[in-house]
Amino acid sequence: MSRLLLAFACVATLGAGGVAAQSARSSGDVAAAVAAETRTPANRERDQYRHPVETLTFFGVKPNQTVVEFLPGGGWYTEILAPLVKGKGRYVALVPAPQADRVRASMAGKAALYGDTQVQTVDFATGVSSIPAGSADVVLTFRNVHNLLMQDDPAVAARVFKAFHAALKPGGVLGVVDHRLPEDMDTAREKTSGYIKRSTVVRLAQQAGFRLAEESSVNANPKDTHDHPEGVWTLPPTYRLKDQDRAKYAAIGESDRFTLKFIKTR
């Protein structure tokens, strides 16, 4: 091997090693955030179903990033993400305007733990978002796309995905986890069951300008039959049927979910 080729091989090897080391550090940072004693005990109990370390590592979340979480709800992932990026990156909650004041108050009440967070808005009727264009490294949505599909206006989901795209930097990541509706089941169930097809999310993302980069089975649950009387809400943690067949649904666990990583390409 010539000296030039040898030098190039050495540089390439060092580069690969550097990427691997950086990935390991990021995974360690995520694991530390998940293991933090500041997390709500009830939330920690659900790690067995939601696999936060593996999921966030798969999406490539790092402490120095601007991370947008769409519809944080009760804050299950917020109490991992906000402390993870505190002081190095930034946590941004993206919600419809009517929810903004409530979410801001919640964030303000945990400022010592969460640091300098932001709450930005998206208008479901227009798709207009207050997030500065091209400012986010990662946009994450956990079990929320089905909520968009259940809106009366069928164009809401497409508008919101375009808002995700606008918010991200070129090469930025959109991470989606949602309840899986098998492809051979009736698509009409997306409007009522809480389950949605993987192909529906891929279509929405591609139409907005994303490329599907990778997918993971980390949140898959083969015990889920996807055909419960009250849809996904039959299963834990909701147990909409209350005590009826509770042991049966507890044995299934939380829903079968797909985990998709998209990249902004244009």
Side-chain angles (χ1 to χ4, degrees):
M1 181 183 293
S2 71
R3 291 183 179 179
L4 179 60
L5 289 175
L6 179 61
F8 179 80
C10 290
V11 169
T13 300
L14 288 171
V19 170
Q22 184 179 30
S23 177
R25 285 195 299 272
S26 298
S27 179
D29 290 328
V30 170
V34 170
E37 294 182 358
T38 52
R39 292 184 62 209
T40 306
N43 286 350
R44 293 170 65 98
E45 291 177 3
R46 296 170 72 183
D47 289 355
Q48 62 180 311
Y49 303 116
R50 297 190 170 183
H51 313 99
V53 175
E54 297 87 347
T55 300
L56 295 178
T57 300
F58 172 71
F59 290 144
V61 177
K62 301 176 179 64
N64 63 347
Q65 292 178 323
T66 294
V67 177
V68 176
E69 183 183 9
F70 175 62
L71 293 180
W76 195 93
Y77 260 105
T78 308
E79 69 174 18
I80 298 172
L81 291 168
L84 173 67
V85 302
K86 178 185 176 183
K88 297 178 181 178
R90 177 163 300 226
Y91 173 87
V92 181
L94 179 62
V95 298
Q99 297 182 20
D101 287 344
R102 176 186 59 80
V103 176
R104 287 191 185 98
S106 176
M107 297 293 176
K110 299 179 180 179
L113 176 61
Y114 289 176
D116 182 19
T117 59
Q118 288 186 355
V119 177
Q120 303 285 7
T121 61
V122 59
D123 185 344
F124 283 6
T126 65
V128 173
S129 169
S130 63
I131 296 179
S135 63
D137 296 290
V138 183
V139 173
L140 301 173
T141 174
F142 301 102
R143 306 169 312 283
N144 285 311
V145 180
H146 68 275
N147 292 318
L148 300 177
L149 295 175
M150 293 172 72
Q151 301 292 312
D152 291 336
D153 181 350
V156 167
R159 294 188 195 111
V160 172
F161 268 74
K162 288 180 181 178
F164 294 161
H165 188 272
L168 283 164
K169 299 173 182 177
V173 169
L174 169 63
V176 180
V177 178
D178 220 313
H179 312 289
R180 185 199 321 271
L181 180 67
E183 295 294 325
D184 60 355
M185 287 190 168
D186 187 355
T187 302
R189 296 189 64 207
E190 293 183 333
K191 294 287 288 185
T192 60
S193 70
Y195 290 98
I196 60 175
K197 294 186 177 182
R198 169 193 175 278
S199 59
T200 298
V201 174
V202 172
R203 172 178 53 79
L204 287 166
Q206 290 177 341
Q207 288 176 346
F210 290 101
R211 172 179 63 85
L212 177 62
E214 296 179 80
E215 55 188 297
S216 171
S217 62
V218 65
N219 293 303
N221 180 1
K223 296 179 181 179
D224 186 1
T225 57
H226 316 90
D227 59 355
H228 314 297
E230 294 291 333
V232 70
W233 303 283
T234 310
L235 299 175
T238 306
Y239 288 115
R240 188 169 284 179
L241 295 179
K242 299 182 179 179
D243 291 335
Q244 181 182 336
D245 293 325
R246 190 180 183 93
K248 168 186 171 181
Y249 297 120
I252 293 173
E254 293 194 16
S255 68
D256 177 32
R257 296 160 185 165
F258 52 74
T259 304
L260 306 177
K261 179 179 179 180
F262 298 94
I263 303 295
K264 178 175 177 175
T265 57
R266 56 176 172 84

